[in-house]
Amino acid sequence: MALWRIRATVEDRPGYLSVLTASLALRSVNILAVQVHTTEGGAVDDFLVDAPDTMSEQELQAAIARGRGREAFVTRAEAQGLADQPTRALALAGRLVHDPDSLGEALVTLLDAAEVRWRPEGTVVLHGFDEERMTLIDPSGGTYEVLRPAPAFTPAEYARAQALVEVSGALVRRAGEQTTLLLPDGAELLIRAATGDDVEGVRRLHARSSMRSRQLRYLSGMQVPSEARLRRMLEPANGLTLLALHVDPAGEERVVAMANLLTEGDLGEIALLVQDAWQRRGIGTALLRRLTAGAARMNCSALVAHTGADNVAMLRTLRRFGVAGRGERDGTLLSLTLPVAGNRPANEETPATSG
C-alpha cells in the first residue's frame, strides 16, 4: 500500500462527500484522515489515503471524478502526514517557543509550501491570500510571502497560519520585555516575566533563601511553597510575576529574586523575595520599578505592600517610591500604599485599602 494526499472540491450538500468516499472505497483506497475546508466554491476535502501499490495517480484522479470530486490535486505523501493537523500545529508552536526565529520554516511545514520569502517592511502593501500566494506580517518586522503552486490555499489554512503568526508575535513581545540589569558591582541580571516553566528555578530560590527572608516575604515561617502554589504565583490570573536571573559562566540560569503583583479591581498587592546573597544590591528596587510600570498598564491606581515593621530594607525601598503616609499598623505588620503615577482611584473620596 502507498500513502497519497488528495484534495478535491465537492458540492457542499448532504451525501456528496459519501459519494466521493464510496468511489475511493470501490478501488480499495483506505481513508486515514480527512479535513474539510469551507470555501466560496464548495467544500474542499483534504484526504490522506492508503491506496494499493499498483494504483497510479491517473487512476486515483479517475476515481475522484467518478465520485463527483472536481479540481482534484493528488500527490504522494510521507509517513509524517499521518499526524493530524492539530498535533502538527501544536508541534510547530512548540518549536517556535524554543526557536523564535524559525517562523518562516514553520509556515512552510504547516502549509506544505514550496517556498517562503521574507520582504522588508513597506515593500508589501496588501496582506492576505490567493490561490498560490499567502502574505503574512512578520511580528519582528516585514512580511512573509508563502508560495505554493498547488493545491490552492484555503481560508482555513490562512487562519491556521495567522494563528501561528500570533504565537510568534507573543514570543517576540515577551522577548522585548526582557531587560538586562547591570548592578553597581558589574554583575548582570536578566529581568523577565515568569512562566510555568520556572517552577523549579523558583523552588530553588526559596530553598537557597534563609528562613528570615522567607518569613519577611510571607509574614510567616513558611518553608518552600507547594508546587501548586508556586504555579499560581508564577502565572497569576490577575497580575504579574517578574524574575531576576543570573547566568553563570557555564550558561546556567539561576533565579535570584522574584517580585509578585496581584490585582483586584484598581488595587494591586506587591511582594518581593531576594536571595540573601543578592540583597542590598538594588535588585528589589529595580523589580519594584518594573512592577509599578506593569500596574499602570493594568490600570491600577495604587499598590499595597504588607511587610513587617522591622523589615528595614523593604521599608526603605518603598519610601523611594513615594509611599503615601505612614501606613496602617496591626501589631508587627505594616500595610503601606503606593500610588501609581497617572492612574486615579475609582473612588477618590474613599481610597481603596487592603487588609
Side-chain angles (χ1 to χ4, degrees):
M1 304 293 280
L3 293 176
W4 293 84
R5 180 185 173 194
I6 297 172
R7 180 174 287 194
T9 302
V10 299
E11 293 295 328
D12 193 9
R13 295 166 58 186
Y16 273 65
L17 178 58
S18 63
V19 173
L20 177 55
T21 56
S23 179
L24 293 172
L26 288 173
R27 298 302 306 270
S28 300
V29 176
N30 183 30
I31 297 174
L32 303 176
V34 61
Q35 300 175 57
V36 179
H37 305 247
T38 302
T39 71
E40 292 181 357
V44 176
D45 297 312
D46 204 338
F47 298 97
L48 179 69
V49 304
D50 193 6
D53 290 332
T54 56
M55 178 170 276
S56 67
E57 179 180 335
Q58 291 73 22
E59 290 173 315
L60 269 175
Q61 290 274 12
I64 296 167
R66 282 193 293 272
R68 298 183 182 178
R70 50 190 173 82
E71 301 170 7
F73 169 82
V74 178
T75 187
R76 295 297 292 265
E78 302 295 336
Q80 57 263 34
L82 291 170
D84 58 50
Q85 192 63 35
T87 300
R88 192 179 193 184
L90 286 171
L92 290 171
R95 174 179 167 185
L96 283 177
V97 170
H98 297 289
D99 184 8
D101 296 326
S102 64
L103 177 58
E105 293 87 343
L107 289 170
V108 169
T109 303
L110 177 72
L111 300 168
D112 292 315
E115 184 182 0
V116 62
R117 301 170 181 168
W118 183 84
R119 304 294 190 188
E121 193 167 355
T123 59
V124 178
V125 178
L126 298 177
H127 299 90
F129 74 100
D130 55 27
E131 291 187 354
E132 299 184 0
R133 186 186 312 270
M134 186 182 295
T135 54
L136 300 150
I137 296 175
D138 180 2
S140 299
T143 300
Y144 281 109
E145 187 178 43
V146 188
L147 306 175
R148 188 178 71 190
F153 285 123
T154 67
E157 289 178 310
Y158 183 62
R160 293 169 189 162
Q162 286 280 38
L164 198 63
V165 168
E166 289 177 10
V167 171
S168 177
L171 294 169
V172 168
R173 290 190 294 274
R174 175 182 164 189
E177 292 172 353
Q178 295 184 357
T179 58
T180 299
L181 175 64
L182 180 63
L183 301 181
D185 58 8
E188 290 186 0
L189 297 179
L190 175 68
I191 309 294
R192 63 167 173 79
T195 72
D197 294 334
D198 293 309
V199 167
E200 181 59 24
V202 173
R203 186 192 67 77
R204 292 178 180 178
L205 164 65
H206 284 76
R208 290 191 300 267
S209 299
S210 66
M211 174 72 77
R212 170 66 175 167
S213 292
R214 294 197 301 269
Q215 184 178 26
L216 292 173
R217 164 61 180 83
Y218 296 102
L219 307 176
S220 68
M222 175 182 285
Q223 298 296 321
V224 179
S226 66
E227 180 170 334
R229 181 169 181 181
L230 284 178
R231 289 190 179 278
R232 290 195 298 271
M233 292 168 60
L234 292 175
E235 296 183 307
N238 299 292
L240 171 68
T241 295
L242 297 177
L243 301 179
L245 302 98
H246 178 253
V247 182
D248 63 23
E252 181 181 355
E253 287 186 346
R254 175 176 292 190
V255 181
V256 300
M258 176 180 69
N260 305 99
L261 166 65
L262 296 177
T263 64
E264 183 175 350
D266 65 348
L267 185 67
E269 182 177 323
I270 56 174
L272 299 170
L273 175 63
V274 181
Q275 184 183 331
D276 296 60
W278 291 86
Q279 292 176 8
R280 299 178 182 84
R281 300 168 74 173
I283 299 172
T285 300
L287 289 173
L288 185 55
R289 184 178 297 112
R290 287 163 176 77
L291 277 190
T292 56
R297 292 193 298 270
M298 297 175 192
N299 296 317
C300 289
S301 61
L303 302 176
V304 173
H306 304 292
T307 187
D310 60 344
N311 190 349
V312 177
M314 183 65 169
L315 292 174
R316 185 184 299 118
T317 298
L318 291 171
R319 298 296 179 194
R320 292 194 188 104
F321 285 84
V323 165
R326 303 182 63 179
E328 298 180 4
R329 184 159 185 162
D330 182 6
T332 61
L333 177 66
L334 271 179
S335 297
L336 300 167
T337 301
L338 172 66
V340 177
N343 292 338
R344 302 172 65 184
N347 184 344
E348 292 186 338
E349 295 180 358
T350 309
T353 59
S354 174

